């Protein structure tokens, strides 16, 4: 297996019209989860990925597992919980520029994951363990599960990649910072953004964020800078990579997950750091061009065409 990850995926109900949610009548239903977004992005590029989670023994859980498996991600380690339901969330499009998210995930099936669930997980043939800061914030038992998996990966010398992916609605400021920093210290590669640097270290400076993460124990850091690209650093090299130009942003949600997929794909393909980060920036840019978390994730041919030219015809003929 190329990449293994653990996390909660929910069903997103999004209204077809803008305005307050109380006036919405028609909704689309999609799956959404940071970890599965990245795993699906990798699978679409031809990599082998596997997902650890729990879903409810309900129709939303069945929808999620069917969709994730259908995108080529292994779901062997996904359990059905007969007592807890699958989480869901709603998006409110207040106007063209502003949206709000309302979560219904308390006591969800995924939040019931435990360290005991990790006992039968085999990480010995996995190249990368990909984690986000969302999963350990779901519950005390999820935090214990993540650290159990982390220690397994450390024992097997699996490369650990961590995206803090901070959700302030889930994290207590003091305890959350301590938890995230602890995981950074156990990780090999860390992928923070500017806002996460501000939350964790009180700075939005990419070089400073990178130094803080490496001082905690991370070997390499890639700081996501949005429309300004990314900064990468390890003990040997560092540098900035420009972002890929896009006409406008349709939906920024999921861009960071696409970025992580691009970086991991580049590393799996043996690219040097600068080229792996370029692939990450391209993936992130492509995701912003489509409404939805996974709908904009490209196959390899689309990614290559996008990276080779900034002047694409509107229609491929």
């Amino acid at each position: 297996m190329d990449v293994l990850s653990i996390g909660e995926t929910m069903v997103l109900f999004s209204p077809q019209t803008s305005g307050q949610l109380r006036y919405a009548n028609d909704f689309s239903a999609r799956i959404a989860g940071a970890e599965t977004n990245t795993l699906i992005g990798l699978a679409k590029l031809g990599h082998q990925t596997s997902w650890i989670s729990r879903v409810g023994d309900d129709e939303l859980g069945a929808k999620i597992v069917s969709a994730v498996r259908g995108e080529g991600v292994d779901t062997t380690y996904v359990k059905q919980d007969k007592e807890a339901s699958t989480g869901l969330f709603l998006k409110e499009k207040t106007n063209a520029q502003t949206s709000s998210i309302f979560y219904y995930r308390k006591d969800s099936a995924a939040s019931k994951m435990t360290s005991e669930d990790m006992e039968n997980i085999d990480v010995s043939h996995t190249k990368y363990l990909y984690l986000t800061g969302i999963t350990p914030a779901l519950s005390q038992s999820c935090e214990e599960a993540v650290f159990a998996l982390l220690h397994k990966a450390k024992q097997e010398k699996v490369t650990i990649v961590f995206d803090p992916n901070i959700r302030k609605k889930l994290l207590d400021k003091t305890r959350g910072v301590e938890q995230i920093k602890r995981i950074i210290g156990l990780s090999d590669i860390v992928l923070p953004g500017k806002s996460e640097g501000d939350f964790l270290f009180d700075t939005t400076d990419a070089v400073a964020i990178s130094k803080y993460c490496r001082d905690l124990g991370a070997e390499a850091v890639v700081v996501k800078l949005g429309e300004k690209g990314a900064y990468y650093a390890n003990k040997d090299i560092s540098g900035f990579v420009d972002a890929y130009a896009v006409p406008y942003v349709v939906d920024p949600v999921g861009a960071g997950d696409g970025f992580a997929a691009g970086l991991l794909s580049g590393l799996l393909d043996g690219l040097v750091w600068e080229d792996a980060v370029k692939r990450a920036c391209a993936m992130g840019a492509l995701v912003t061009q489509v409404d939805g978390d996974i709908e904009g994730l490209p196959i390899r041919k689309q990614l290559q065409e996008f990276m080779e030219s900034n002047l694409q015809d509107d229609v491929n003929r």
Side-chain angles (χ1 to χ4, degrees), residues 13-317:
F13 290 92
S14 183
Q16 304 293 343
T17 55
S18 299
Q20 292 175 307
L21 204 56
R22 69 189 72 176
Y23 301 116
N25 295 309
D26 299 315
F27 294 81
S28 62
R30 297 169 172 164
I31 68 162
E35 296 83 8
T36 47
N37 291 346
T38 297
L39 294 178
I40 289 169
L42 284 160
K44 292 179 79 170
L45 294 177
H47 303 289
Q48 300 298 310
T49 62
S50 184
W51 178 46
I52 305 167
S53 192
R54 279 200 204 186
V55 297
D57 186 15
D58 49 37
E59 285 301 303
L60 295 186
K63 177 182 179 68
I64 289 169
V65 175
S66 176
V68 173
R69 186 189 296 129
E71 292 287 356
V73 177
D74 174 71
T75 57
T76 301
Y77 295 131
V78 179
K79 293 183 177 180
Q80 283 188 324
D81 192 318
K82 296 185 180 298
E83 297 180 359
S85 59
T86 304
L88 61 89
F89 64 112
L90 305 174
K91 178 186 286 187
E92 179 183 70
K93 301 176 183 177
T94 311
N95 54 53
Q97 288 78 36
T98 308
S99 62
S100 299
I101 300 295
F102 302 95
Y103 293 99
Y104 296 85
R105 71 195 315 179
K106 185 179 180 181
D107 296 324
S108 66
S111 74
K112 305 294 184 181
M113 287 188 288
T114 68
S115 57
E116 286 76 19
D117 292 333
M118 303 302 110
E119 291 176 359
N120 295 322
I121 305 296
D122 182 9
V123 302
S124 61
H125 300 293
T126 299
K127 296 174 184 174
Y128 291 91
L129 173 64
Y130 175 70
L131 302 171
T132 78
I134 301 170
T135 310
L138 294 176
S139 66
Q140 180 66 39
S141 67
C142 277
E143 180 180 3
E144 292 168 359
V146 167
F147 280 100
L149 190 62
L150 261 170
H151 290 304
K152 262 195 171 187
K154 296 293 281 187
Q155 289 176 347
E156 296 291 343
K157 294 181 170 43
V158 175
T159 301
I160 298 164
V161 182
F162 177 54
D163 183 343
N165 218 327
I166 288 168
R167 298 289 189 270
K168 292 181 181 178
K169 290 184 179 181
L170 291 175
L171 282 175
D172 169 78
K173 171 70 173 176
T174 302
R175 187 170 181 277
V177 168
E178 179 184 339
Q179 182 188 81
I180 296 294
K181 286 183 177 180
R182 186 181 168 199
I183 300 175
I184 289 173
L186 291 169
S187 300
D188 299 292
I189 302 170
V190 182
L191 313 177
K194 290 191 298 182
S195 62
E196 290 154 350
D198 188 35
F199 183 85
L200 294 169
F201 309 116
D202 296 318
T203 181
T204 59
D205 179 77
V207 177
I209 294 169
S210 171
K211 186 177 186 305
Y212 277 120
C213 290
R214 292 182 59 214
D215 286 346
L216 286 170
E219 292 184 8
V221 182
V222 182
V223 183
K224 295 168 287 185
L225 302 174
E227 70 279 1
K228 293 184 179 179
Y231 172 79
Y232 65 95
N234 58 34
K235 64 182 179 64
D236 298 317
I237 55 173
S238 64
F240 284 90
V241 170
D242 290 333
Y244 282 79
V246 293
Y248 56 89
V249 173
V250 175
D251 183 4
V253 177
D257 307 326
F259 183 99
L263 181 74
L264 282 163
S265 172
L267 296 177
L268 285 164
D269 285 349
L271 300 184
V272 297
W273 271 98
E274 182 179 5
D275 289 341
V277 176
K278 285 180 180 179
R279 183 178 291 187
C281 288
M283 285 282 285
L286 280 166
V287 170
T288 69
Q289 298 304 284
V290 179
D291 185 22
D293 284 26
I294 64 173
E295 288 77 3
L297 292 166
I299 61 174
R300 191 170 286 260
K301 181 181 178 182
Q302 292 170 324
L303 176 62
Q304 289 172 341
E305 289 175 348
F306 177 74
M307 293 183 70
E308 287 169 2
S309 176
N310 286 327
L311 299 173
Q312 296 288 314
D313 290 334
D314 291 337
V315 180
N316 291 322
R317 304 182 188 275

